[in-house]
Amino acid sequence: MSRRHDFVTECLKQTRGRPFSFKVLGHSVTAFYGEKSRRRVLAEQGMDPNAAQRVLGIIPAFTEPDKEKQAEGEALFEKRLLSLIHRDRLAEAIPSLLEDSWVLCEEWGKKGVFDPFVAMYDVVFQMTARVATCRDLYENRQAVAQLQKNFLSLETNATSFSILFPWFPGPAQIGRLAALITIIRKFRKATSTRRQASDMSGDGIDLLVSQGDDDGSIAGTLMGFMMAGTVNTGVMAAWALLFLGSHPHWKERVVNEVKDLLNKHSDNINTDPLPKRLSSVPLKAWEENLPFMDLVIRETVRLIMCGSAIRRNIGRDIEIEGVTIRTGEFATYSLADAHLNPSIYANPNDFDPERYLPGREEDKKEAFAYIGWGAGRHPCIGMKLAILEMKLVLATVLLGFEWELVDRSGGHLKTIPAPARNNLHTIRPLENSCYMTLKSAKASS
């Protein structure tokens, strides 16, 4: 499992695009390619991603849930998540999210040469904790740092060995279980404390308490929310900075676009700090009035999100390209087959945000040619929050700081390294060979 991308790519070449099967934990998994298969794997009723991830150890689980209870639980989780990311809550949170971004970026800038993937994860984790948890947690930097450490432990201990042999009590499996228990306990404790408080607020935990959810359900929701809403968003924000830093024309476009947005909604002679000025931009404008930044984010996600979508058939037997996926069996589709396909995207490994503009619209050449935010029956529920967080942190860095991509020793980085697509957890540059320097600037004036 440590060379998953290479394995899928090599098998694709050997089978000349035909489906092939392999075993994981004794389960049969069939890999498919091409537009027809993509439609069926991603959109067929009964092809469930959560069931697949639980059985294969991607989502922590110690028993296989009843199908009806699982469906009910997923519906409740989605309901709770949607209440946490309701537009009114996000609009109200923007000033605080911008302040989080500014404070943490300033701190990272003082460290000299730093890893942008660590820095962006820090920022996004803090932002997501603010949206989802409560003041006792998100305003306590030490508590957030410890919680973040627990989540990183949960992630990094999901090694190939621990996933393939979940019954073996090795160090990784023990570490993963310990992190999981610690996270749940912290969220239960925070929920219990807020339930007894007399000053209920609009914080995430208070909202879930007011909806009648019990402590265990809230803890589970918060864990799922933080897992889904931090790692990939932080990685994409870091890669967006790398692509902008290595493409000055696009950096200039996005900087000017954000300045125009700021000038439209803020007094040009306003001497307030940048976070406060950016706070004057309403949510709708962040969502709709940054077309160049939208293109940059879209292209970043296409280039980096090239893993495999996996589904378990929890419905009737399904035939795809002559292969029967029986109830309980698995199907997988490599996103790289679409995202890095030269018949869909010209020069697919190049950063070229203009490929989505009218006249080209390469992402519309085939069904589900762009799967960066999910597709079919399982789109990403938290997409709007993820994009908003990326826009806020990108605007903060672009207008508030002077920054440069460097190597480990602080020397100028001429080209950014290729993504390490075989990474089991996050897709970073090969050999972690890309760093940044950051210092405060008066670009907001």
Side-chain angles (χ1 to χ4, degrees):
M1 288 181 69
S2 61
R3 294 180 60 248
R4 292 179 298 172
H5 179 79
D6 290 350
F7 168 73
V8 172
T9 302
E10 290 165 6
C11 289
L12 170 63
K13 292 178 180 178
Q14 293 176 14
T15 62
R16 297 182 180 180
R18 295 190 301 273
F20 67 91
S21 298
F22 55 96
K23 295 281 188 178
V24 177
L25 297 177
H27 298 283
S28 175
V29 181
T30 303
F32 293 93
Y33 301 91
E35 182 181 12
K36 291 182 180 179
S37 297
R38 190 189 314 141
R39 288 173 180 263
R40 300 295 303 282
V41 172
L42 299 177
E44 186 74 29
Q45 186 175 5
M47 299 298 276
D48 187 88
N50 294 323
Q53 293 176 3
R54 283 193 184 89
V55 174
L56 298 182
I58 302 168
I59 295 178
F62 303 99
T63 59
E64 186 169 352
D66 175 86
K67 186 168 72 173
E68 291 185 3
K69 289 183 179 180
Q70 177 183 318
E72 180 182 353
E74 289 172 2
L76 287 172
F77 173 77
E78 181 175 334
K79 179 182 177 182
R80 295 181 188 120
L81 188 150
L82 290 173
S83 67
L84 289 173
I85 59 174
H86 189 276
R87 290 185 59 79
D88 292 344
R89 295 195 76 242
L90 296 185
E92 185 178 350
I94 284 176
S96 297
L97 298 178
L98 284 164
E99 186 64 27
D100 287 339
S101 179
W102 178 262
V103 169
L104 289 172
C105 284
E106 275 200 318
E107 290 181 3
W108 276 103
K110 293 175 183 177
K111 296 182 180 182
V113 176
F114 64 90
D115 184 340
F117 290 85
V118 175
M120 291 302 102
Y121 179 67
D122 280 357
V123 175
V124 169
F125 193 93
Q126 172 66 41
M127 287 175 149
T128 308
R130 182 176 292 277
V131 171
T133 64
C134 64
R135 189 168 287 102
D136 293 343
L137 281 176
Y138 65 69
E139 287 190 349
N140 184 331
R141 293 289 298 280
Q142 185 176 357
V144 171
Q146 189 58 50
L147 185 63
Q148 183 176 336
K149 184 178 179 180
N150 298 142
F151 272 97
L152 283 172
S153 179
L154 182 64
E155 178 192 357
T156 55
N157 280 304
T159 62
S160 300
F161 188 88
S162 69
I163 291 174
L164 290 172
F165 303 99
W167 45 265
F168 183 79
Q173 196 67 283
I174 293 172
R176 196 179 186 202
L177 178 59
L180 177 65
I181 293 172
T182 301
I183 291 168
I184 292 296
R185 283 178 175 172
K186 286 182 177 180
F187 284 147
R188 288 184 70 105
K189 181 179 179 180
T191 302
S192 177
T193 299
R194 291 308 305 160
R195 194 181 296 279
Q196 299 170 27
S198 58
D199 58 336
M200 297 296 283
S201 68
D203 286 343
I205 290 178
D206 289 7
L207 174 64
L208 297 177
V209 168
S210 70
Q211 293 176 171
D213 296 320
D214 61 74
D215 291 4
S217 297
I218 292 175
T221 297
L222 296 177
M223 190 186 78
F225 186 94
M226 296 296 294
M227 286 181 67
T230 54
V231 176
N232 282 336
T233 306
V235 168
M236 293 306 149
W239 273 109
L241 285 174
L242 266 58
F243 288 132
L244 288 172
S246 58
H247 294 80
H249 174 61
W250 274 99
K251 179 182 176 181
E252 182 181 8
R253 277 180 158 183
V254 176
V255 167
N256 290 335
E257 178 179 69
V258 178
K259 284 183 177 180
D260 289 343
L261 186 70
L262 182 58
N263 290 335
K264 181 178 178 180
H265 293 278
S266 175
D267 185 348
N268 290 338
I269 60 173
N270 196 325
T271 57
D272 287 335
L274 179 63
K276 188 170 183 179
R277 293 187 61 200
L278 286 172
S279 297
S280 65
V281 180
L283 175 60
K284 187 175 182 180
W286 284 107
E287 292 176 334
E288 299 179 1
N289 299 138
L290 292 171
F292 286 140
M293 190 182 287
D294 282 325
L295 291 173
V296 167
I297 291 174
R298 187 169 182 81
E299 180 71 341
T300 298
V301 172
R302 179 191 70 83
L303 283 166
I304 305 306
M305 291 292 284
C306 292
S308 293
I310 190 161
R311 302 287 188 265
R312 190 185 195 194
N313 182 12
I314 60 172
R316 57 178 177 79
D317 291 356
I318 301 170
E319 184 174 307
I320 304 175
E321 296 294 297
V323 178
T324 299
I325 306 298
R326 294 181 172 81
T327 302
E329 292 184 341
F330 298 80
T332 184
Y333 175 80
S334 171
L335 274 62
D337 180 55
H339 286 181
L340 301 181
N341 189 333
S343 67
I344 300 174
Y345 297 102
N347 301 311
N349 290 300
D350 292 350
F351 177 77
D352 180 12
E354 290 185 355
R355 66 175 79 248
Y356 307 104
L357 293 176
R360 291 180 65 180
E361 297 179 311
E362 295 174 2
D363 54 328
K364 296 181 181 179
K365 286 183 179 178
E366 294 184 3
F368 302 144
Y370 186 91
I371 327 170
W373 299 103
R377 294 180 174 273
H378 300 280
C380 176
I381 303 172
M383 176 181 69
K384 288 190 175 182
L385 172 61
I387 293 177
L388 176 64
E389 289 179 335
M390 281 191 276
K391 286 182 174 180
L392 296 180
V393 71
L394 289 176
T396 299
V397 173
L398 290 171
L399 266 62
F401 297 88
E402 294 177 0
W403 54 282
E404 184 182 5
L405 302 180
V406 297
D407 58 25
R408 190 185 299 269
S409 62
H412 178 69
L413 193 70
K414 295 181 180 179
T415 58
I416 61 173
R421 300 198 184 281
N422 284 316
N423 279 12
L424 186 59
H425 304 294
T426 59
I427 308 301
R428 292 178 172 229
L430 286 168
E431 300 178 358
N432 288 336
S433 51
C434 190
Y435 293 82
M436 283 181 64
T437 59
L438 192 76
K439 63 180 180 179
S440 182
K442 295 184 179 180
S444 59
S445 60

